[in-house]
Amino acid sequence: MKRNRFTEEQIIGILKEQEAGVPVADLCRKHGVSNASIYKWKAKYGGMDISEAKRLKALEDENARLKKLLADAMLDNSALKDLLGKKMVAPAAKRDAVAHLQTVYGMSERRACQVLGCCRMTMRYHATRIDDGLLRERMKAIAHERRRFGYRRLHVLLRREGHVVNHKRLFRIYREEKLTVRRRGGRKRAMGTRAPMLIPMAPNQRWSLDFVSDQMTDCRRFRVLTVVDDCTRECLALVADTSLSGLRVARELEALIARRGKPAMIVSDNGTEFTSNAILSFADRMRIDWHYIAPGKPIQNAFIESFNGRLRDELLNETLFPSLSHVRATVASWRADYNLNRPHSRLGWLTPAEYADTFNPRRDLALRSMASSTPAPVAHPAQMGKTNRQSLRHPG
């Protein structure tokens, strides 16, 4: 607003002189104003004293300020209604919204940021990202090859190939490429009482056993016996067949002990195969402590349960099996990849084979070759029509 040369006190004084009889022309020459200014002052301040003139000026200023605030509020309300259907979560979206307010409503950058509640430094930031085309393509290739791997395991695999990238930047690219792995829902189960499970401190201190079942494309069912070393997390055996009896499990374990050595303890659930006379006789003959978990408490055998989840998620749910021979070849290949290539989060992103080498770096090469290739099952199903000789020892 243009400021007047004369204050209210001066204007009231000039009008007092005119009321005292001084001609208007003389007042104009004396104070350097026009006749119109004298008559305008008289119409506005005529009959007032100095206090009343100041109060009138204050009321005019307050009225002008309120009008300006009302106009600004109406403009801000209109601008926000215009942006109502737009998402403004990412910084780029906020920059676009500020530019829209500046262009359409003629707002300054400061006022547009104030309306939207964002920082001006965000508006002035210019990204200096390097070209990551090669990294994106390689990450997408690995993600399509290993579809159930999250960004953390992809980060480990990329670092092995020489890509130096921060995990936050990799996660941003991972989200932009829409590679997020959806978790498969499962049936809700009772939690029960959870007790911490001690981790073995050396290889062959404790093994875990369990079964995983699936079906082939011709709807025939098959089962896979899984054996895991709880210390090194190595998958020691994956035995696939249409049926696996307790006697078959004992034969497979004997062959595995001959190649790797005898464990101090074996943990399993209370399935009929593991509580059969054949397994009881095997444990007594080999002098192995066989531990059964409490019924309905799979968390007490958490190591093999976690492994079975990875096996089902990364292999069984992703593969169609036309025949039993294809099943055996596929699980053997996956076992070698699991032991030698797949990074394990609980081992500091080492592979199980690399972690096992930290206990005995001079292990026999035959053991290493055994970890990388799974031989065919040494025991075969019994022939139809023949009965197996039962042990004299009975459960309980």
Side-chain angles (χ1 to χ4, degrees), residues 8 38 61 71 168 171 190 287 305-307 337 371:
E8 288 79 5
I38 298 294
D61 294 342
K168 292 180 287 187
F171 182 67
R287 298 183 181 278
E305 293 292 341
S306 175
F307 174 80
D337 180 71

Side-chain angles (χ1 to χ4, degrees), residues 52-79:
E52 292 175 343
K54 287 184 177 181
R55 186 166 58 251
L56 177 62
K57 183 67 168 58
L59 290 174
E60 290 178 348
D61 294 342
E62 180 68 16
N63 189 27
R65 188 179 70 84
L66 292 176
K67 285 183 178 180
K68 185 176 183 302
L69 289 177
L70 179 60
D72 291 344
M74 294 178 64
L75 181 62
D76 295 346
N77 189 23
S78 176

Side-chain angles (χ1 to χ4, degrees), residues 333-376:
S333 175
W334 186 86
R335 173 178 171 266
D337 180 71
Y338 178 88
N339 288 334
L340 298 178
N341 300 323
R342 185 185 184 276
H344 202 293
S345 60
R346 300 301 295 176
L347 303 180
W349 300 111
L350 295 175
T351 64
E354 292 172 345
Y355 184 71
D357 285 339
T358 61
F359 291 93
N360 188 7
R362 300 179 181 177
R363 288 196 304 173
D364 187 14
L365 294 177
L367 294 178
R368 186 64 179 270
S369 62
M370 183 271 295
S372 62
S373 61
T374 303

